[in-house]
Amino acid sequence: LTASNVATAISNAPTKSKFSLVSNPDRHLICFGTETTIGTTSTQDPMFIRWSTQDDQTEWTPSATNTAGSQRIVGGSEIVTAVRTRGQLLILTDTSAHGMSFIGAPFVFGFQQLGSNCGAISPHSAIDVGGVSYWMSSESFFVFDGTVRKIPCTVEDFVFDNIEPKQYEQVFAGSNSAFGEIWWLYCTTASNQNDKYVVYNYQENLWYTGSLSRSTWIDSGT
């Protein structure tokens, strides 16, 4: 490795966050579950969001001449995950869903709670397909297509009666776009690694399950 291809810390940025995303098309680097005081890890707040100024990941201090800023959302105890969807970011806490959309000066981003009792089960349990987001909670499945809705599931009891709560973090969502399917990989009580899957076919509105030892997923490309 050479200095040109080694990852380095971004100057002036938060030093402790749960995860980050770049918003599209407005191009802000956003940290979720991050520090209320940049550089002080003891101030990490699992519900706090902070973003850099547009097109500059080194400028995090808000001013009248930039678009950096921050926001704390309410509705849960921690932000679990977020996905880019049509026109906004969908933020999922352990109990609720929120929309984060670019609105420009002076507030930069607008926030709206979209649903309650619909939190995500794991950091990789949500996926967006064509502007429609799907995710798994600890007891149900949900979709956001402009409105948060619970997806009726014919195998719900089979999945949630056998899932291992200690391994929720391993739940992984993937898209099989060629067949109109959303897959969730999960651990049953008989395993400490993903050993089962549940599939929602959104074209046929069908559910099916099976066994598969796989920890992650990426859709096929052209």
Side-chain angles (χ1 to χ4, degrees):
L1 293 177
T2 64
S4 63
N5 59 17
V6 175
T8 58
I10 297 173
S11 60
N12 306 318
T15 53
K16 192 172 185 180
S17 307
K18 289 200 68 178
F19 64 95
S20 64
L21 281 177
V22 175
S23 57
N24 184 42
D26 49 280
R27 305 176 309 281
H28 290 82
L29 176 58
I30 306 169
C31 290
F32 299 87
T34 190
E35 303 159 338
T36 57
T37 301
I38 295 176
T40 305
T41 59
S42 61
T43 67
Q44 184 183 23
D45 182 338
M47 295 290 283
F48 194 74
I49 302 167
R50 185 183 293 280
W51 58 90
S52 68
T53 195
Q54 191 174 40
D55 288 327
D56 186 355
Q57 70 272 20
T58 65
E59 180 56 73
W60 294 82
T61 303
S63 74
T65 58
N66 69 24
T67 57
S70 62
Q71 178 77 28
R72 189 183 195 277
I73 59 174
V74 296
S77 61
E78 64 173 335
I79 297 171
V80 177
T81 190
V83 293
R84 285 182 289 262
T85 188
R86 185 178 298 148
Q88 61 184 322
L89 292 175
L90 176 66
I91 304 168
L92 300 171
T93 74
D94 53 340
T95 65
S96 60
H98 302 256
M100 177 179 177
S101 54
F102 180 69
I103 58 174
F107 301 110
V108 186
F109 286 101
F111 293 83
Q112 179 184 12
Q113 184 165 338
L114 303 171
S116 56
N117 300 316
C118 59
I121 195 172
S122 77
H124 296 290
S125 62
I127 191 169
D128 187 85
V129 180
V132 178
S133 298
Y134 304 85
W135 70 96
M136 182 179 181
S137 76
S138 59
E139 56 186 22
S140 303
F141 299 90
F142 291 89
V143 61
F144 173 68
D145 55 5
T147 303
V148 173
R149 294 180 288 110
K150 180 180 177 181
I151 308 173
C153 177
T154 55
V155 296
E156 190 172 276
D157 289 344
F158 174 81
V159 172
F160 293 106
D161 285 351
N162 293 283
I163 195 170
E164 175 51 65
K166 293 180 181 179
Q167 303 298 337
Y168 279 170
E169 289 281 308
Q170 294 195 60
V171 172
F172 201 100
S175 168
N176 188 7
S177 58
F179 295 93
E181 297 172 341
I182 306 298
W183 286 57
W184 285 276
L185 310 168
Y186 67 96
C187 297
T188 62
T189 53
S191 175
N192 59 10
Q193 299 291 323
N194 288 343
D195 60 339
K196 295 286 186 180
Y197 65 81
V198 56
V199 178
Y200 174 55
N201 187 313
Y202 52 84
Q203 293 180 341
E204 303 291 340
N205 196 29
L206 294 174
W207 290 87
Y208 25 97
T209 62
S211 299
L212 184 66
S213 297
R214 183 172 292 179
S215 60
T216 188
W217 178 285
I218 187 168
D219 201 3
S220 61
T222 56

